[in-house]
Each structure stands twice: as C-alpha cells, then as structure tokens.
C-alpha cells in the first residue's frame, strides 16, 4: 500500500512544482497539501473503503481548486498591470498581432484532473450507486469539463439504463448544452438534434412504457421546430431589408403551412407513444398540456383529440378534454378579452357554444354516470362565467341544456349530493329560491345519500334563511329546525355530524339567544363539539371540509360572546373545557397557523380575566388560581420549536403574580 501511495504522490509532484514556481502556493503550503493527500490516499486504500473518505477527499480538493483559481486571477491581474507599466515606461506599443505569453500551464488543470480521478475510483467501487454519477456530472459542469461530461453520461447510462431521468438529462445536454454560461468557450455547446434523438430512442427501446421519456421526446421535437422557425423568421427579416414587400402579410399563413409539414415527426412520435401505452387517458392529456406550451401545434392537438375520441368514448376525462379543446381551438385563452370582442368574435362564440352543447349532449348520452353529469354542469357554468353570461334566463341555450340535464339525472336516479347542490346553485342564480327550497326538501326526505350529507343540510338551511318564515305556496321550516333534524339523521360518528353541529352552534350565537333553553343548547353543543372533535378537525381541516371553521376558532367566538355578556363563570367554563381536552395537549402535530390561533385564544382568556379583575371586588385566591391555570396550559402546549413562546408566557406569569401579590 505504501508503494502505491508514494507512486501516486510522485505523479503529483510536477504539477505542484509548477504551481509553486508561479507563486500560486508557497513551499510550506505545498508541503501541507502533500501531507493531506498522503493521508487521504491511505484512507482510500484501506481494506474496507468508506464513501465518506472519498467525499472528504473530493471536498478538500474542490476547496483547493477554488483557492488556486482566486490566486491565479490575482497573479494574472498583477502581471498584466506590470506589463502595461513597462510599456508606458519604455514608450512601446504592443502590436495586436504580437503573441502574449501563455500563463495557463498543466499545473492549473491538475487539481480538476485529480478530482475526476477520485470520482472514477469511487464509481469503480460503488458503480451501482447513482449518486456518484450525478455528483460527478455536476462537478464536470462546474469545472467546464464538457468532454468528460459526455463520458460520464455514457457510463451512467450503461450501468443504469432503466433510469429514464438519466436519458432525459443526457439528451438535454446534447441538444441544449450544459446549463452554464457559455462564455470563454471556443465553440458553441449543444445543438446536436441527432445525438439527442439517438439517446432518447435508445432510452425508449429499454423503457417502452416510460411516460416521461415519450413526453420529453415530443418536447425535444417541438423545441427543434421552434428553433427552425426562429431561423426562418430571421432570414425573412433579412430579406425584407433587401427590399422585399408584403412579407409580413404572408408570414402567418406560410408559418402555419411550414409548421404543418414539420409536425410530421411529432405525429409519428405520438402514434408510437400511444401504441406503447394505449390504455392511459391521462398520458394523452399530458400531450395536450405539452402542446399548449408551444405555438402552431394545432394539427398535433387535433391528432391527440381524434385519438382520444376513437379510443376513449366511455371516459369522462376524454369528453371533458374535447370540450376544453373546442374553447381553446380558435386561440388559447381567447375568452379572457371579451370586452373588446367584435361582431366576428360574437359569431364565433355562438358557433362555439352550439358545438359545445352538441358535444356534451353526446357525452351525457354515451356515459350516464354521476361524474359525467357533474363535470358537464361544472364545465357549462364555468364557460358561462367566462363569456360573462351570469344572468341566466329560461330562453338561454345553456340554461335550457342544464335544466334538461338535471331532469335526466333525476329520471336516471343518479342525482348525487354534489349534483343536487349544483342544481340548487343553478336555481338560486336564476332567482328561483322557492323551487330550490322544495327541491332540497324533497331529496332530504327521500334520498339516503343526501340525508347523510352535511353540505346538503347546510345549503337547505341557507335557502330557508333567504326565504324567511313564509313562502307563497306553503310554510317552510326554520333553519334551526333543519339543522336539528340533520343532527338526528346523520350518525354521530360521522364527520358530517360535527360539521352540522358547528353550523348550528354558530347560528345560535349569531341569534343572541335570550331563553334559558337556547343557552343550555349552546353549552350542550359546545361540549359535544369538543368531545367528538379529533385531530383531523380540531384545528384546520385539510380535506373537502377545509372551508369549515375549526374547533379552536369556535371556542374563541364563544369566548368573545361571553365576554360581551360579562359572564366570567361561562368564560372560565369555556377555556377549562379546552384545557382539559386531550386534543389540545401539545402543538407538535399542528402547523404555524394553528399555533397562532391557539395563541390568540390564550391571550383572549388572559385579557378576559384581567377585565374581570378590574371590575371590583374579586377573590384574589381564585383569580391567582385561574391565571396559573391559563399560563400553565400555555407553557405545556408550546413545546419544540415554539419553546420561546412558552418562555415568554412564564415571564408574563411571574410579572402578573408579583403585581397581584
């Protein structure tokens, strides 16, 4: 081992001597470098090699290379300044054709070469570890070792052919070049479409079902087409300077014709892609998203849409993709500037609307499922908003279609709670609150799915509030009665039961109850909400109920309500219930927003106790006990990264207790 280490060090001597002669490193620094390298070489040649030894060796050499680069630049600047001063002193002018003395020598590249060698040795030992190849490639880009970078990718692909990201990165390097500044290079980097195509084709032979490889192959072809199109436009501009006229008039049509000819390769690529992955509708939709990022891809989009229509006639996403394509076909996001649209755009929108309705009619006939109907309704309502057609009328073709769609859903018995809510929103937008109310009443009484939906019950309650206590046809239920019926219907263990309880609790507080029965109901609901709340809904909800208020926010609202009434006993009962709950023991499982909410609640409790202490005669012993309870909970709740907040509450407690005593 000693002979091998000494032989490796002997090979480093000429480069170190060169750097020392140029003044980059001093003699003592060179000795230290040799000593460190000797220790590292021994560690690399131990019987059981360790990755950390290689990484430490590489990191030390990279730091040394950065130091050499800085000192070399400084020495070059000093030398250039000295030469200028000599020329001025001797009144000599340096001719442009006079060759400058070379400053760069073999010592300047020796450290980079050594780092490459260490990476190579590491890959020999751990060739199956992809991280070594990636780190080596990153260093080659940093050191601008572009010839070595190609070899690195080739070796990595040989050992990891199933890793599609390597194929994509290697092809990107061949076409776009390295992601670095190209200044200082004698020739342009990248730009080889042939090499990039070969790499991706080889990758696809090995990974035939890789969606990313197919998508990036199409992306490469579209980038190449845009590159050719840019060159063509530049040449047309040059011709225009020479006196040609009417070039701009023909530019749009000629660009479209040229793009259609150039789209032959992407179309063939797409056909091969769907032949390899035939059963994925989402894969084909990704091609549409990719085409949206490039101009003049209309013919390719049409090819994708035609394939979806042929192969996915029973798929909801396929029908919706075709509907979105109709909207974007005349121009991407054409509906965003409708305030300045002319008569031509109005005619186009009418034609487009008819085509959309025909397509969605066929969609609902081909796929009679709740999701198909729901997506159709959402699409039409969104489309009507975009074309500024919020004012619905019975004669509007979209309104007529929606009415017939809801009737079909009712007849087919596929009116789910989501569809029911969309129907109610449609009626409310048409100012038919009475029909919306009785529609909800009918389904709440006869449909099991709707009866177990908190959203349906709460919408029914909102419509009831809108109508008031009396309707032209017959009396309606009070919103409180509706919510109480919901609590009797929805199982207690269901999350929807908690949602409805919180809504009833809020509505009762807003009504400012005066009767003893209502006050008892509020307290009972509050205790039930705390008892049935779990970690999923104690703080901020993260799923479909994310718009609902959290338990700690409900507690804060109740606390403020009792503060306004001046009921200190109820205030203490509220925060005692919260403090005793197992769901509020620590802040470790909550996020920043939840911690802020709890801090606001605790500060409100402290403020309420301070207000009570200033009203008159109070029991100091009881007051001190309540303050200790609040501050004790705060210091226990705020742990971990919030320990500073707990310390601040401890300090507040000490100051407050001193003032009371």
């Amino acid at each position: 081992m000693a002979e091998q280490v000494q032989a490796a060090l002997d090979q480093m001597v000429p480069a170190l001597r060169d750097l020392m002669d140029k003044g980059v490193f001093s003699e003592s620094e060179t000795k230290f470098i040799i000593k460190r390298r000797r220790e590292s070489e021994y560690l690399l040649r131990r019987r059981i090699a360790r990755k950390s030894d290689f990484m430490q060796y590489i990191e030390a050499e990279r730091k040394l290379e950065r130091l050499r680069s800085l000192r070399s630049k400084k020495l070059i600047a000093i030398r250039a300044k000295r030469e200028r001063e000599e020329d001025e002193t001797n009144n000599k002018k340096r001719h442009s054709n006079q060759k400058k003395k070379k400053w760069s020598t073999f010592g300047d590249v020796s450290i980079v070469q050594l780092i490459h060698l260490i990476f190579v040795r590491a890959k020999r030992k751990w060739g199956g570890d992809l991280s070594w190849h990636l780190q080596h490639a990153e260093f080659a880009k940093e050191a601008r070792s572009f010839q070595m970078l190609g070899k690195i990718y080739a070796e990595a692909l040989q050992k990891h052919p199933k890793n599609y990201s390597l194929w994509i990165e290697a092809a990107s390097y061949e076409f776009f070049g390295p992601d670095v500044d190209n200044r200082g290079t004698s020739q342009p980097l990248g730009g080889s479409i042939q090499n990039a195509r070969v790499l991706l084709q080889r990758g696809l032979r090995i990974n035939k079902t890789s969606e990313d490889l197919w998508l990036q192959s199409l992306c490469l072809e579209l980038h190449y087409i845009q590159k050719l199109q840019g060159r063509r436009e530049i040449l047309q501009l040059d011709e225009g300077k020479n006196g040609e006229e009417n070039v701009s008039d023909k530019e749009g049509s000629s660009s479209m014709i040229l793009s259609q000819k150039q789209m032959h390769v992407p179309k063939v690529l797409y056909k091969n892609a769907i032949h390899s992955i035939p059963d994925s509708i989402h894969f084909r939709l990704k091609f549409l998203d990719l085409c949206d990022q490039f101009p003049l891809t209309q013919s390719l989009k049409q090819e994708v849409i035609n394939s979806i229509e042929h192969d996915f006639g029973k798929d909801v996403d396929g029908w919706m993709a075709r509907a979105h394509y109709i909207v974007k076909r005349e121009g991407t996001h054409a509906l965003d500037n409708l305030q300045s649209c002319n008569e031509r755009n109005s005619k186009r929108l009418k034609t487009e609307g008819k085509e959309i309705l025909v397509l969605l009619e066929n969609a609902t006939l081909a796929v009679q499922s709740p999701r198909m109907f729901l997506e159709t309704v959402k699409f039409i309502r969104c489309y009507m908003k975009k074309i500024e057609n919020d004012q619905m009328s019975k004669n509007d073709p979209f309104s007529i279609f929606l009415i017939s769609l809801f009737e079909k859903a009712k007849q087919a018995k596929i009116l789910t709670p989501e569809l029911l809510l969309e129907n109610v929103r449609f009626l409310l937008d048409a100012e038919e609150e009475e029909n919306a109310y009785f529609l909800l009443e009918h389904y709440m009484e006869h449909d099991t799915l709707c009866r177990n939906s908190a959203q349906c019950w709460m919408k029914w309650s909102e419509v009831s509030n809108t109508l008031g206590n009396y309707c032209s046809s017959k009396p309606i239920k009070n919103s409180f009665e509706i919510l109480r019926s919901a609590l009797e219907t929805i199982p207690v263990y269901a999350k929807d039961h908690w949602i409805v309880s919180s809504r009833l609790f809020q509505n009762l507080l807003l009504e400012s109850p005066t009767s003893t029965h209502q006050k008892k109901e509020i307290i009972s609901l509050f205790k039930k909400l705390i008892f049935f709340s779990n970690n999923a809904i104690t703080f901020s909800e993260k799923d479909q109920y994310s718009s609902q208020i959290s338990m700690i926010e409900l507690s804060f609202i109740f606390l403020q309500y009792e503060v306004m009434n001046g009921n200190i006993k109820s205030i203490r009962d509220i925060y005692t219930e919260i403090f005793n709950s197992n769901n509020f023991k620590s802040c470790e499982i909550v996020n920043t927003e939840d911690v802020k909410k709890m801090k606001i609640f605790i500060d409100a409790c402290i403020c309420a106790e301070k207000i009570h202490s200033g009203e008159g005669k109070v029991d100091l012993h009881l007051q001190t006990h309540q303050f200790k309870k609040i501050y004790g909970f705060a210091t226990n709740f705020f742990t971990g990264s919030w320990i500073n907040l707990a310390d601040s509450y401890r300090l507040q407690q000490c100051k407050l207790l001193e003032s009371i005593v």
Side-chain angles (χ1 to χ4, degrees):
M1 181 187 294
E3 295 177 355
Q4 295 175 352
V5 171
Q6 189 60 42
L9 293 174
D10 290 342
Q11 294 177 359
M12 303 176 189
V13 170
L16 291 173
R17 172 63 67 180
D18 178 65
L19 293 173
M20 190 171 63
D21 292 341
K22 290 196 299 184
V24 177
F25 298 127
S26 64
E27 184 177 353
S28 59
E29 289 175 335
T30 304
K31 290 181 179 179
F32 178 79
I33 292 170
I34 294 173
K35 180 181 178 182
R36 179 185 55 76
R37 287 182 175 178
R38 178 181 286 107
E39 294 174 354
S40 299
E41 290 290 339
Y42 273 111
L43 291 175
L44 263 58
R45 285 176 169 80
R46 65 169 67 193
R47 180 170 297 179
I48 301 177
R50 295 186 301 187
K51 294 181 181 180
S52 59
D53 295 334
F54 282 83
M55 292 304 303
Q56 290 175 3
Y57 195 2
I58 290 170
E59 186 61 29
E61 292 299 326
R62 293 180 74 166
K63 292 179 180 178
L64 183 64
E65 171 60 20
R66 286 194 287 269
L67 178 62
R68 182 211 62 79
S69 178
L70 291 173
R71 289 187 177 181
S72 296
K73 291 178 181 178
K74 182 179 179 180
L75 291 173
I76 290 173
I78 294 173
R79 178 182 176 183
K81 182 179 180 181
R82 187 185 302 117
E83 289 178 352
R84 286 195 301 269
E85 292 176 352
E86 291 178 357
D87 292 343
E88 292 175 359
T89 303
N90 300 329
N91 295 324
K92 294 180 180 180
K93 294 183 179 180
R94 188 178 297 276
H95 298 286
S96 59
N97 58 355
Q98 184 177 354
K99 293 183 179 180
K100 296 182 180 180
K101 295 181 180 179
K102 290 185 178 181
W103 172 259
S104 180
T105 57
F106 66 93
D108 295 323
V109 298
S110 61
I111 301 176
V112 173
Q113 291 176 349
L114 177 60
I115 296 174
H116 283 305
L117 178 61
I118 300 171
F119 272 115
V120 171
R121 292 164 65 181
K123 289 188 292 185
R124 287 174 185 170
K125 290 183 176 292
W126 300 285
D129 191 348
L130 181 61
S131 62
W132 283 113
H133 298 277
L134 297 177
Q135 291 179 57
H136 195 186
E138 287 298 322
F139 171 73
K141 294 177 184 178
E142 180 185 335
R144 308 182 67 82
S145 303
F146 301 126
Q147 292 184 351
M148 177 63 73
L149 185 59
K151 297 178 181 179
I152 294 169
Y153 282 133
E155 183 182 359
L157 291 173
Q158 286 179 353
K159 295 184 178 180
H160 302 277
K162 292 291 185 180
N163 191 306
Y164 60 86
S165 61
L166 272 178
W167 292 102
I168 296 172
E169 188 173 348
S172 176
Y173 165 71
E174 290 294 340
F175 184 71
F176 297 104
D179 188 17
V180 295
D181 188 3
N182 290 340
R183 290 177 297 177
T185 56
S186 58
Q187 57 184 359
L189 301 173
S192 177
I193 184 65
Q194 292 85 358
N195 293 346
R197 282 172 174 169
V198 168
L199 281 171
L200 289 176
Q201 287 169 5
R202 289 177 179 173
L204 288 171
R205 290 192 193 101
I206 300 172
N207 307 279
K208 294 182 180 180
T209 58
S210 173
E211 294 185 2
D212 290 328
L213 270 178
W214 285 110
L215 290 168
Q216 291 304 317
S217 297
L218 181 66
C219 185
L220 173 69
E221 296 298 335
L222 294 178
H223 272 294
Y224 183 59
I225 290 173
Q226 295 306 311
K227 186 176 182 180
L228 296 179
Q229 187 69 20
R231 289 178 179 176
R232 180 175 176 274
E233 291 176 359
I234 293 172
L235 292 175
Q236 281 187 341
L237 290 175
D238 292 338
E239 292 173 359
K241 293 178 181 179
N242 294 329
E244 290 192 7
E245 298 179 354
N246 299 327
V247 174
S248 59
D249 298 336
K250 300 178 182 179
E251 184 177 355
S253 59
S254 60
S255 298
M256 184 67 69
I257 294 172
L258 181 62
S259 65
Q260 290 177 358
K261 293 180 180 178
Q262 292 172 338
M263 282 297 163
H264 178 69
V265 174
K267 287 180 180 179
V268 172
L269 186 62
Y270 172 72
K271 290 179 180 178
N272 293 333
I274 62 176
H275 179 72
S276 299
I277 310 175
D279 300 327
S280 176
I281 178 66
H282 299 289
F283 177 51
R284 304 194 189 191
L285 295 179
K286 289 178 183 178
F287 278 100
L288 281 178
D289 296 336
L290 184 61
C291 290
D292 288 338
Q293 301 175 16
F294 295 89
L296 303 176
T297 56
Q298 192 66 31
S299 60
L300 183 58
K301 290 181 184 178
Q302 188 63 52
E303 183 76 21
V304 178
I305 290 295
N306 292 340
S307 69
I308 291 175
E309 180 180 359
H310 182 269
D311 298 335
F312 295 94
K314 297 292 184 180
D315 193 282
V316 177
D317 294 324
W319 285 101
M320 289 297 104
R322 291 166 61 185
H324 284 286
Y325 172 73
I326 293 175
V327 177
K328 294 183 179 181
R329 186 174 53 195
E330 296 296 333
T332 304
H333 308 299
L335 297 174
D336 295 339
N337 300 318
L338 284 179
Q339 293 181 353
S340 61
C341 67
N342 51 22
E343 187 175 336
R344 181 181 176 184
N345 284 337
S346 299
K347 292 180 180 179
R348 182 185 64 80
L349 287 174
K350 290 181 180 179
T351 306
E352 183 181 87
K354 291 179 181 179
E355 190 174 354
I356 288 173
L357 291 178
V358 171
L359 176 69
L360 294 179
E361 178 70 25
N362 295 331
T364 52
L365 290 174
V367 186
Q368 293 190 355
S369 67
R371 183 167 177 258
M372 183 75 254
F373 279 71
L374 182 62
E375 293 295 330
T376 301
V377 172
K378 289 181 178 179
F379 178 84
I380 292 178
R381 289 176 62 83
C382 181
Y383 181 77
M384 295 177 71
K385 289 181 180 179
K386 282 189 174 182
I387 62 174
E388 299 178 355
N389 191 17
D390 291 333
Q391 300 298 327
M392 297 188 181
S393 63
K394 293 184 178 180
N395 297 326
D396 184 85
F398 293 102
S399 299
I400 295 172
F401 179 79
L402 285 177
I403 292 172
S404 65
L405 193 67
F406 288 127
E407 289 299 325
K408 288 180 183 178
K410 294 173 186 176
Q411 293 174 4
K413 296 182 180 181
I414 56 174
L415 195 69
T416 59
E418 293 80 9
L419 266 176
L420 176 62
L421 291 174
E422 289 292 337
N423 195 354
V424 170
R425 294 187 187 102
F426 171 75
L427 293 173
L428 293 176
D429 291 340
E431 298 181 353
E432 298 182 14
E433 291 85 358
E434 184 178 345
N435 292 336
Y437 174 86
F438 291 119
L439 177 66
L440 283 166
E441 183 181 41
H442 173 76
Y443 276 90
M444 289 297 102
E445 293 177 355
H446 299 93
D447 190 272
T448 305
L449 289 176
C450 296
R451 287 171 61 84
N452 291 327
S453 172
Q455 303 300 322
C456 292
W457 285 103
M458 290 190 293
K459 179 59 72 173
W460 190 14
S461 173
E462 292 173 7
V463 176
S464 175
N465 278 331
T466 304
L467 288 174
N469 296 326
Y470 181 79
C471 183
S472 58
S473 58
K474 63 178 182 179
I476 64 172
K477 291 184 178 180
N478 185 279
S479 62
F480 296 108
E481 296 177 6
I482 293 173
L483 294 177
R484 291 186 184 107
S485 300
L487 294 179
E488 295 175 359
T489 304
I490 302 175
V492 176
Y493 56 82
K495 189 179 294 185
D496 286 32
H497 188 94
W498 193 94
I499 300 297
V500 175
S501 299
S502 67
R503 177 60 63 87
L504 178 59
F505 179 76
Q506 295 174 67
N507 291 350
L508 287 171
L509 288 179
L510 290 174
E511 288 291 324
S512 299
T514 55
S515 65
T516 306
H517 175 71
Q518 287 180 328
K519 291 180 179 179
K520 289 182 178 180
E521 185 179 11
I522 290 175
I523 296 172
S524 174
L525 279 172
F526 179 71
K527 292 181 178 180
K528 185 168 72 170
L529 286 170
I530 293 178
F531 180 77
F532 286 108
S533 63
N534 49 45
N535 290 333
I537 53 180
T538 299
F539 292 95
S540 297
E541 194 63 28
K542 304 304 179 187
D543 56 7
Q544 58 177 328
Y545 302 109
S546 58
S547 61
Q548 299 299 326
I549 195 168
S550 65
M551 186 63 233
I552 194 63
E553 290 171 316
L554 286 174
S555 304
F556 177 75
I557 294 172
F558 192 20
L559 184 75
Q560 292 299 314
Y561 171 79
E562 294 296 348
V563 169
M564 292 175 62
N565 294 332
N567 191 345
I568 188 62
K569 183 179 181 303
S570 297
I571 293 171
R572 289 170 177 170
D573 290 340
I574 292 169
Y575 66 70
T576 300
E577 290 286 345
I578 293 294
F579 295 167
N580 293 336
S581 174
N582 292 328
N583 296 317
F584 302 96
K585 293 300 183 183
S586 175
C587 67
E588 295 179 354
I589 60 174
V590 298
N591 55 35
T592 304
E593 293 298 324
D594 300 331
V595 174
K596 291 179 180 178
K597 292 174 186 177
M598 179 56 79
K599 183 180 183 303
I600 293 172
F601 177 76
I602 292 173
D603 291 340
C605 296
I606 296 172
C607 182
E609 289 291 345
K610 288 182 178 180
I611 292 173
H612 175 67
S613 63
E615 290 179 350
K617 294 182 179 180
V618 294
D619 187 348
L620 291 179
H621 178 73
L622 179 60
Q623 189 78 34
T624 303
H625 174 72
Q626 295 300 326
F627 277 121
K628 287 182 178 180
K629 179 189 291 186
I630 298 171
Y631 283 113
F633 172 80
T635 54
N636 292 329
F637 180 81
F638 297 107
T639 57
S641 59
W642 299 95
I643 192 66
N644 293 333
L645 200 55
D647 294 338
S648 68
Y649 278 112
R650 289 192 186 94
L651 183 61
Q652 291 179 30
Q653 181 183 5
C654 294
K655 291 181 179 180
L656 184 63
L657 293 179
E658 288 176 0
S659 63
I660 292 176
V661 175

